Amino acid sequence: WEQCLANSWQHNPVLASGRSAIRELEYSVGTTTANFLPQISASAGFTKRSVENASGWNETDSTSAGISLSQDLFSGGGNVANRRRALAQLDVGYEEYRQFHADVEYLVRASFVNALYAQDLIKLTEQIEERRRNNVRLVQLKFDGGRENAGSLARSKAQLKQASFEVREAERLLEFSLRDLAAAMGGNEPPFGVAGTLDAAEPESISDLQSLMEETSDYKVAKIQVEVAEHGVTVARSGRFPSVDLNASVGIGGVREFEYADWSVGVRASMPLFTGGRLSKQVAVSKENVIQSEMGLLNKANTLMATLQNQWNSYADAVEDEAVQKELLDAEMLRAEISTAKYKQGLLSYEDWDQIESNLITQGKTYLQRRRSAELQQANWKKALGVSEWQLSGKGE
């Protein structure tokens, strides 16, 4: 499992895309920071001009070069709000990236568990095949001794063929599971096998579901979206305030050579007086976005509370069901031992013995399925919480 985590961290395309998205948001924060810094540009030019008069064509050349600087001094708080909004969006990106970790780990874990299940299923079906083969020998002996009918023998042989088919079916399932695991990790070549056991841990009690919910990525994203919307109101309102800019430039030019120099420094202020109601409508739209974000946060909290409770219930039910199925399997194994001994002695009919044997085989498959279900529900619970091994180890920070 540790190797699967390491391979996924290096090769999974979803994680690589998430890291790229984080860098994109970090660059976006940098663009908003640039609004607080002076903007400097340089220019140079050469012009060749020809004018026709009475004496013919006269040509003149002119050259120019200059540097200009502009600095925003006041923009009604718009630049500050834009930067804070970009930082909030970056926080959203971090939370979504954390959920990427949980989602990817769940896919890898589910594929890993399915591969473990397929390996154990091969072992189980091989044991079933051997048991069916022994049963055929036993029925054959009783048939040869005239104590069993041909129908019972034919049924035993058919059950052996079915058991052999299920072995090959399990082997094909393992081939698919290993390829599915490779795809989940971000590779093409499947591993030769997986090492581990289907042994889900007991779920911890949830005494404070509210706190667990508030730590999920989905809730934190919805909460930050409210902050983003509030900064949007400040950005919209900034258009109502005057904007003040500092401008400075220096340049040189001339006809054939740089014959003169000039410079200028100035402050420009502007303020909207009438925009046809555009600014008011933009502020109103931003306020409505805040209300929608707040209602979205409330709805997300309510939905997550129900979802987490349901996921925990499924996890607890799966683990408890696994324990129950283990006791049922032990009971069926004991019944099978007793019934086989009775059948050999002629104290139990074939029909009753066959029914107990089939119950044992069915229960063995059921128990293995419940072990897989418990593991998958445990992985589902971690995904719902937005928790991953990468996050717990600090690798995903």
PDB file of all heavy atoms in Angstrom, residues 4 25 40 66 72 81 88 91 107 120 147 154 207 210 219 230 244 352 356 390:
ATOM      1  N   CYS A   4       2.014   1.895  -3.417  1.00  0.00           N
ATOM      2  CA  CYS A   4       0.924   2.456  -4.244  1.00  0.00           C
ATOM      3  C   CYS A   4       0.791   3.951  -4.009  1.00  0.00           C
ATOM      4  O   CYS A   4       0.594   4.725  -4.957  1.00  0.00           O
ATOM      5  CB  CYS A   4      -0.390   1.747  -3.924  1.00  0.00           C
ATOM      6  SG  CYS A   4      -0.472   0.034  -4.486  1.00  0.00           S
ATOM      7  N   LEU A  25      -3.110  29.716  -9.451  1.00  0.00           N
ATOM      8  CA  LEU A  25      -3.719  30.643  -8.508  1.00  0.00           C
ATOM      9  C   LEU A  25      -2.670  31.498  -7.811  1.00  0.00           C
ATOM     10  O   LEU A  25      -2.907  32.687  -7.534  1.00  0.00           O
ATOM     11  CB  LEU A  25      -4.533  29.866  -7.475  1.00  0.00           C
ATOM     12  CG  LEU A  25      -5.814  29.198  -7.989  1.00  0.00           C
ATOM     13  CD1 LEU A  25      -6.412  28.298  -6.925  1.00  0.00           C
ATOM     14  CD2 LEU A  25      -6.832  30.243  -8.428  1.00  0.00           C
ATOM     15  N   ILE A  40       6.506  50.773 -15.229  1.00  0.00           N
ATOM     16  CA  ILE A  40       7.529  51.512 -15.986  1.00  0.00           C
ATOM     17  C   ILE A  40       7.617  50.921 -17.387  1.00  0.00           C
ATOM     18  O   ILE A  40       7.660  49.702 -17.549  1.00  0.00           O
ATOM     19  CB  ILE A  40       8.899  51.429 -15.290  1.00  0.00           C
ATOM     20  CG1 ILE A  40       8.799  51.973 -13.857  1.00  0.00           C
ATOM     21  CG2 ILE A  40       9.955  52.200 -16.071  1.00  0.00           C
ATOM     22  CD1 ILE A  40      10.075  51.787 -13.051  1.00  0.00           C
ATOM     23  N   GLY A  66      12.220  57.462 -24.778  1.00  0.00           N
ATOM     24  CA  GLY A  66      11.709  57.957 -23.504  1.00  0.00           C
ATOM     25  C   GLY A  66      11.378  56.838 -22.552  1.00  0.00           C
ATOM     26  O   GLY A  66      11.271  55.664 -22.918  1.00  0.00           O
ATOM     27  N   ASP A  72      -0.341  53.927  -9.237  1.00  0.00           N
ATOM     28  CA  ASP A  72      -1.679  54.107  -8.684  1.00  0.00           C
ATOM     29  C   ASP A  72      -1.552  54.540  -7.228  1.00  0.00           C
ATOM     30  O   ASP A  72      -0.930  53.853  -6.419  1.00  0.00           O
ATOM     31  CB  ASP A  72      -2.458  52.796  -8.791  1.00  0.00           C
ATOM     32  CG  ASP A  72      -3.828  52.908  -8.184  1.00  0.00           C
ATOM     33  OD1 ASP A  72      -4.543  53.860  -8.538  1.00  0.00           O
ATOM     34  OD2 ASP A  72      -4.191  52.048  -7.351  1.00  0.00           O
ATOM     35  N   ALA A  81      -8.994  44.999  -2.254  1.00  0.00           N
ATOM     36  CA  ALA A  81     -10.043  43.977  -2.288  1.00  0.00           C
ATOM     37  C   ALA A  81      -9.738  42.911  -3.334  1.00  0.00           C
ATOM     38  O   ALA A  81      -9.993  41.723  -3.111  1.00  0.00           O
ATOM     39  CB  ALA A  81     -11.395  44.630  -2.567  1.00  0.00           C
ATOM     40  N   ALA A  88      -8.181  34.674  -1.193  1.00  0.00           N
ATOM     41  CA  ALA A  88      -9.265  33.782  -0.787  1.00  0.00           C
ATOM     42  C   ALA A  88      -9.474  32.681  -1.826  1.00  0.00           C
ATOM     43  O   ALA A  88      -9.702  31.522  -1.487  1.00  0.00           O
ATOM     44  CB  ALA A  88     -10.557  34.581  -0.584  1.00  0.00           C
ATOM     45  N   ASP A  91      -6.983  30.110  -1.306  1.00  0.00           N
ATOM     46  CA  ASP A  91      -7.377  29.221  -0.216  1.00  0.00           C
ATOM     47  C   ASP A  91      -8.393  28.181  -0.698  1.00  0.00           C
ATOM     48  O   ASP A  91      -8.353  27.010  -0.278  1.00  0.00           O
ATOM     49  CB  ASP A  91      -7.978  30.024   0.941  1.00  0.00           C
ATOM     50  CG  ASP A  91      -6.929  30.849   1.675  1.00  0.00           C
ATOM     51  OD1 ASP A  91      -5.735  30.492   1.594  1.00  0.00           O
ATOM     52  OD2 ASP A  91      -7.304  31.854   2.309  1.00  0.00           O
ATOM     53  N   LEU A 107      -9.724   6.251  -4.883  1.00  0.00           N
ATOM     54  CA  LEU A 107      -9.705   5.441  -6.108  1.00  0.00           C
ATOM     55  C   LEU A 107      -8.589   4.402  -6.054  1.00  0.00           C
ATOM     56  O   LEU A 107      -8.787   3.241  -6.424  1.00  0.00           O
ATOM     57  CB  LEU A 107      -9.541   6.346  -7.328  1.00  0.00           C
ATOM     58  CG  LEU A 107     -10.721   7.263  -7.653  1.00  0.00           C
ATOM     59  CD1 LEU A 107     -10.375   8.161  -8.834  1.00  0.00           C
ATOM     60  CD2 LEU A 107     -11.963   6.446  -7.974  1.00  0.00           C
ATOM     61  N   ASP A 120      -7.621 -13.138  -2.762  1.00  0.00           N
ATOM     62  CA  ASP A 120      -8.239 -14.018  -1.763  1.00  0.00           C
ATOM     63  C   ASP A 120      -9.338 -14.867  -2.387  1.00  0.00           C
ATOM     64  O   ASP A 120      -9.574 -16.013  -1.960  1.00  0.00           O
ATOM     65  CB  ASP A 120      -8.808 -13.191  -0.613  1.00  0.00           C
ATOM     66  CG  ASP A 120      -7.723 -12.600   0.279  1.00  0.00           C
ATOM     67  OD1 ASP A 120      -6.548 -12.983   0.104  1.00  0.00           O
ATOM     68  OD2 ASP A 120      -8.042 -11.748   1.126  1.00  0.00           O
ATOM     69  N   ARG A 147     -25.068 -47.321  -2.770  1.00  0.00           N
ATOM     70  CA  ARG A 147     -25.760 -46.561  -1.711  1.00  0.00           C
ATOM     71  C   ARG A 147     -26.094 -45.135  -2.124  1.00  0.00           C
ATOM     72  O   ARG A 147     -26.505 -44.333  -1.306  1.00  0.00           O
ATOM     73  CB  ARG A 147     -24.893 -46.547  -0.453  1.00  0.00           C
ATOM     74  CG  ARG A 147     -24.729 -47.904   0.201  1.00  0.00           C
ATOM     75  CD  ARG A 147     -23.859 -47.802   1.424  1.00  0.00           C
ATOM     76  NE  ARG A 147     -22.498 -47.368   1.082  1.00  0.00           N
ATOM     77  CZ  ARG A 147     -21.606 -46.937   1.977  1.00  0.00           C
ATOM     78  NH1 ARG A 147     -21.961 -46.836   3.247  1.00  0.00           N
ATOM     79  NH2 ARG A 147     -20.401 -46.592   1.585  1.00  0.00           N
ATOM     80  N   ALA A 154     -24.107 -37.128 -10.669  1.00  0.00           N
ATOM     81  CA  ALA A 154     -24.056 -36.150 -11.764  1.00  0.00           C
ATOM     82  C   ALA A 154     -24.044 -34.725 -11.218  1.00  0.00           C
ATOM     83  O   ALA A 154     -23.330 -33.853 -11.732  1.00  0.00           O
ATOM     84  CB  ALA A 154     -25.247 -36.356 -12.689  1.00  0.00           C
ATOM     85  N   SER A 207     -18.662  11.777  18.366  1.00  0.00           N
ATOM     86  CA  SER A 207     -19.328  12.543  19.424  1.00  0.00           C
ATOM     87  C   SER A 207     -19.617  13.975  18.991  1.00  0.00           C
ATOM     88  O   SER A 207     -20.513  14.624  19.531  1.00  0.00           O
ATOM     89  CB  SER A 207     -18.455  12.552  20.684  1.00  0.00           C
ATOM     90  OG  SER A 207     -17.173  13.087  20.394  1.00  0.00           O
ATOM     91  N   GLN A 210     -20.560  17.948  14.143  1.00  0.00           N
ATOM     92  CA  GLN A 210     -20.460  19.325  13.659  1.00  0.00           C
ATOM     93  C   GLN A 210     -19.009  19.702  13.395  1.00  0.00           C
ATOM     94  O   GLN A 210     -18.695  20.284  12.352  1.00  0.00           O
ATOM     95  CB  GLN A 210     -21.077  20.271  14.682  1.00  0.00           C
ATOM     96  CG  GLN A 210     -20.997  21.748  14.320  1.00  0.00           C
ATOM     97  CD  GLN A 210     -22.086  22.181  13.372  1.00  0.00           C
ATOM     98  OE1 GLN A 210     -23.109  21.506  13.262  1.00  0.00           O
ATOM     99  NE2 GLN A 210     -21.893  23.297  12.686  1.00  0.00           N
ATOM    100  N   TYR A 219     -17.000  22.021   3.013  1.00  0.00           N
ATOM    101  CA  TYR A 219     -17.519  23.091   3.868  1.00  0.00           C
ATOM    102  C   TYR A 219     -16.588  24.294   3.843  1.00  0.00           C
ATOM    103  O   TYR A 219     -17.046  25.444   3.753  1.00  0.00           O
ATOM    104  CB  TYR A 219     -17.690  22.591   5.297  1.00  0.00           C
ATOM    105  CG  TYR A 219     -18.178  23.670   6.248  1.00  0.00           C
ATOM    106  CD1 TYR A 219     -19.525  24.011   6.303  1.00  0.00           C
ATOM    107  CD2 TYR A 219     -17.291  24.365   7.062  1.00  0.00           C
ATOM    108  CE1 TYR A 219     -19.972  25.005   7.156  1.00  0.00           C
ATOM    109  CE2 TYR A 219     -17.732  25.359   7.922  1.00  0.00           C
ATOM    110  CZ  TYR A 219     -19.071  25.678   7.961  1.00  0.00           C
ATOM    111  OH  TYR A 219     -19.509  26.670   8.794  1.00  0.00           O
ATOM    112  N   GLU A 230     -17.870  38.699  -0.545  1.00  0.00           N
ATOM    113  CA  GLU A 230     -17.803  39.950   0.211  1.00  0.00           C
ATOM    114  C   GLU A 230     -16.722  40.867  -0.351  1.00  0.00           C
ATOM    115  O   GLU A 230     -16.912  42.094  -0.418  1.00  0.00           O
ATOM    116  CB  GLU A 230     -17.535  39.644   1.681  1.00  0.00           C
ATOM    117  CG  GLU A 230     -18.725  38.982   2.386  1.00  0.00           C
ATOM    118  CD  GLU A 230     -18.384  38.519   3.790  1.00  0.00           C
ATOM    119  OE1 GLU A 230     -17.173  38.451   4.099  1.00  0.00           O
ATOM    120  OE2 GLU A 230     -19.319  38.217   4.568  1.00  0.00           O
ATOM    121  N   VAL A 244      -6.722  58.095  -8.160  1.00  0.00           N
ATOM    122  CA  VAL A 244      -5.613  59.041  -8.255  1.00  0.00           C
ATOM    123  C   VAL A 244      -4.388  58.294  -8.766  1.00  0.00           C
ATOM    124  O   VAL A 244      -4.015  57.237  -8.228  1.00  0.00           O
ATOM    125  CB  VAL A 244      -5.307  59.693  -6.886  1.00  0.00           C
ATOM    126  CG1 VAL A 244      -4.185  60.706  -7.025  1.00  0.00           C
ATOM    127  CG2 VAL A 244      -6.561  60.347  -6.317  1.00  0.00           C
ATOM    128  N   ASP A 352     -29.745 -33.420   2.100  1.00  0.00           N
ATOM    129  CA  ASP A 352     -29.458 -32.604   3.288  1.00  0.00           C
ATOM    130  C   ASP A 352     -27.964 -32.268   3.371  1.00  0.00           C
ATOM    131  O   ASP A 352     -27.578 -31.139   3.713  1.00  0.00           O
ATOM    132  CB  ASP A 352     -29.909 -33.336   4.549  1.00  0.00           C
ATOM    133  CG  ASP A 352     -31.416 -33.458   4.630  1.00  0.00           C
ATOM    134  OD1 ASP A 352     -32.112 -32.666   3.959  1.00  0.00           O
ATOM    135  OD2 ASP A 352     -31.903 -34.347   5.352  1.00  0.00           O
ATOM    136  N   ILE A 356     -26.114 -28.455   3.094  1.00  0.00           N
ATOM    137  CA  ILE A 356     -25.186 -27.897   4.085  1.00  0.00           C
ATOM    138  C   ILE A 356     -23.855 -27.531   3.428  1.00  0.00           C
ATOM    139  O   ILE A 356     -23.261 -26.500   3.736  1.00  0.00           O
ATOM    140  CB  ILE A 356     -24.989 -28.903   5.232  1.00  0.00           C
ATOM    141  CG1 ILE A 356     -26.306 -29.068   6.009  1.00  0.00           C
ATOM    142  CG2 ILE A 356     -23.875 -28.449   6.162  1.00  0.00           C
ATOM    143  CD1 ILE A 356     -26.261 -30.132   7.077  1.00  0.00           C
ATOM    144  N   TRP A 390      -1.462  11.404   2.418  1.00  0.00           N
ATOM    145  CA  TRP A 390      -0.537  12.485   2.036  1.00  0.00           C
ATOM    146  C   TRP A 390      -0.735  13.696   2.944  1.00  0.00           C
ATOM    147  O   TRP A 390       0.221  14.333   3.355  1.00  0.00           O
ATOM    148  CB  TRP A 390      -0.762  12.871   0.575  1.00  0.00           C
ATOM    149  CG  TRP A 390      -0.447  11.769  -0.380  1.00  0.00           C
ATOM    150  CD1 TRP A 390       0.730  11.077  -0.469  1.00  0.00           C
ATOM    151  CD2 TRP A 390      -1.308  11.220  -1.365  1.00  0.00           C
ATOM    152  NE1 TRP A 390       0.643  10.134  -1.464  1.00  0.00           N
ATOM    153  CE2 TRP A 390      -0.603  10.195  -2.031  1.00  0.00           C
ATOM    154  CE3 TRP A 390      -2.614  11.493  -1.763  1.00  0.00           C
ATOM    155  CZ2 TRP A 390      -1.147   9.457  -3.071  1.00  0.00           C
ATOM    156  CZ3 TRP A 390      -3.161  10.742  -2.788  1.00  0.00           C
ATOM    157  CH2 TRP A 390      -2.436   9.740  -3.429  1.00  0.00           C
TER     158      TRP A 390
END
